[in-house]
């Protein structure tokens, strides 16, 4: 078992290892792929989890989600142009706010087919985001939510949904990595693996850490299990107010 901390999310990974493994603390999951498609799906799964954990570790309700679009005069038509403008814009932001953490994504609209950017940032005021964007006046900005609901369960500051949406924004046309992140982004904390001697299931997960609640479980045919816990969020005043209004 390996425990991973990323912001308000705690995960307990359980996996099998090769019989010849001597040092359990250095053990890696034992995998067997029958096709290249399975291997590629496994790599994508690793990339997705890495992105979600890094995203949750670095962002909170003080962070800002931005959509940056080009007006007709500044519209770009190739990803090469888009990557160049991304570099210029990020340099201007970092010059204004050297300690800022930035995650950046390039995409193309499904209906308009126009290239646009998404950005999530910590440590950059909204007025600077807007001021430094020289390529259009339509800039959408909003702070991340304090309460995120999945299957009607309050996950608090678990931004898995937004992280997945942005990770899937990438297409082969974009090229390169799925997202850009500044080097000062924090990495999730991982405990050293330890051997477990009982069988865990979705109905019988590992013990719930103090201050957390158990919310999800995922498993694969390779013997990999991931049990997810989130910090107990404070009451959602918006929903409490709505319930009072509905019952009055």
């Amino acid at each position: 078992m390996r425990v991973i901390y990323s912001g308000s999310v705690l995960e307990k990974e359980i996996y099998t290892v090769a019989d010849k493994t001597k040092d359990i603390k250095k053990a890696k999951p034992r995998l067997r792929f029958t096709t290249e498609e399975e291997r590629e799906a496994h790599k994508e799964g690793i990339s997705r989890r890495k992105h979600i954990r890094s995203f949750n570790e670095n962002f909170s309700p003080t962070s800002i989600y931005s959509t940056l679009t080009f007006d007709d005069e500044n519209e770009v038509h190739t990803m090469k142009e888009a990557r160049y403008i991304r570099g210029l814009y990020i340099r201007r932001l970092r010059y204004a706010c050297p300690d800022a953490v930035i995650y950046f994504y390039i995409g193309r609209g499904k209906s308009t087919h126009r290239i646009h950017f998404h950005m999530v940032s910590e440590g950059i005021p909204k007025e600077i985001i807007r001021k430094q964007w020289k390529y259009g006046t339509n800039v959408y900005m909003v702070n991340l939510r304090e309460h995120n609901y999945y299957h009607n369960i309050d996950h608090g500051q678990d931004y898995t949904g937004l992280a997945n949406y942005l990770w899937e924004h990438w297409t082969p046309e974009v090229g390169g990595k799925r997202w850009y992140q500044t080097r000062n982004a924090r990495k999730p904390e991982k405990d050293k693996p330890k051997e477990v001697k009982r069988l865990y299931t979705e109905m019988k997960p590992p013990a719930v850490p103090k201050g957390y609640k158990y919310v999800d479980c995922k498993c694969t045919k390779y013997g990999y299990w991931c049990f997810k816990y989130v910090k107990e969020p404070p009451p959602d005043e918006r929903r409490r107010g709505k319930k009072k209004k509905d019952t009055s």
Side-chain angles (χ1 to χ4, degrees):
M1 177 191 294
R2 177 172 57 191
V3 181
I4 302 171
Y5 305 86
S6 47
S8 294
V9 178
L10 182 152
E11 294 169 287
K12 293 187 177 183
E13 289 184 322
I14 296 176
Y15 50 87
T16 58
V17 299
D19 295 335
K20 63 181 180 180
T21 301
K22 294 181 180 181
D23 188 349
I24 195 70
K25 293 182 179 180
K26 296 181 180 179
K28 295 182 180 180
R30 186 181 186 186
L31 306 171
R32 295 187 181 91
F33 304 109
T34 57
T35 65
E36 278 302 313
E37 286 76 14
E38 288 185 354
R39 189 181 299 277
E40 287 303 313
H42 173 69
K43 290 180 180 179
E44 285 199 355
I46 292 175
S47 173
R48 185 188 293 271
R49 289 193 296 274
K50 178 181 178 181
H51 177 249
I52 292 172
R53 289 165 179 166
S54 181
F55 197 97
N56 278 325
E57 175 64 26
N58 284 279
F59 299 119
S60 71
T62 62
S63 307
I64 300 171
Y65 167 68
S66 309
T67 298
L68 308 161
T69 56
F70 295 87
D71 59 22
D72 291 341
E73 293 180 359
N74 294 287
E75 183 181 2
V76 297
H77 302 281
T78 69
M79 291 301 171
K80 183 178 180 180
E81 292 177 284
R83 289 192 295 269
Y84 176 72
I85 290 176
R86 175 189 65 183
L88 292 178
Y89 182 58
I90 291 175
R91 281 198 290 274
R92 289 199 295 269
L93 291 177
R94 297 200 67 195
Y95 181 81
C97 304
D99 298 326
V101 176
I102 300 171
Y103 282 44
F104 213 95
Y105 310 81
I106 301 175
R108 190 184 288 275
K110 291 183 179 179
S111 58
T112 65
H113 303 291
R114 294 179 67 145
I115 295 172
H116 63 277
F117 298 151
H118 290 298
M119 179 178 74
V120 183
S121 57
E122 175 65 35
I124 308 177
K126 290 182 180 180
E127 56 268 24
I128 292 181
I129 293 174
R130 189 183 303 276
K131 178 181 178 181
Q132 295 300 333
W133 181 247
K134 311 290 186 182
Y135 312 99
T137 57
N138 186 15
V139 179
Y140 172 80
M141 292 178 289
V142 64
N143 285 82
L144 300 192
R145 297 173 181 170
E146 186 175 3
H147 298 273
N148 294 272
Y149 288 83
Y150 306 103
H151 306 294
N152 209 33
I153 298 174
D154 187 358
H155 283 222
Q157 296 175 33
D158 170 17
Y159 301 108
T160 297
L162 178 58
N164 272 328
Y165 167 75
L166 293 170
W167 185 86
E168 292 169 356
H169 219 62
W170 181 91
T171 63
E173 178 195 13
V174 176
K177 297 181 179 180
R178 283 182 174 266
W179 75 95
Y180 165 91
Q181 69 181 58
T182 50
R183 292 183 181 180
N184 60 340
R186 299 187 307 274
K187 294 182 179 179
E189 181 183 344
K190 298 181 180 181
D191 286 351
K192 292 183 179 180
K194 64 179 182 179
E195 188 175 1
V196 293
K197 299 187 177 181
R198 61 157 290 188
L199 179 65
Y200 295 105
T201 66
E202 186 175 5
M203 301 305 296
K204 293 183 179 181
V208 179
K210 185 177 181 180
Y212 288 81
K213 64 179 180 181
Y214 172 55
V215 294
D216 193 21
C217 169
K218 288 184 171 58
C219 64
T220 71
K221 63 182 180 180
Y222 305 111
Y224 170 87
W225 289 78
C226 185
F227 298 91
K228 181 177 178 180
Y229 310 80
V230 296
K231 286 184 179 178
E232 286 281 3
D236 188 347
E237 296 299 331
R238 296 174 306 169
R239 290 216 167 188
R240 290 178 65 180
K242 184 178 180 181
K243 287 181 180 179
K244 289 180 181 180
K245 185 177 180 180
D246 291 342
T247 56
S248 62

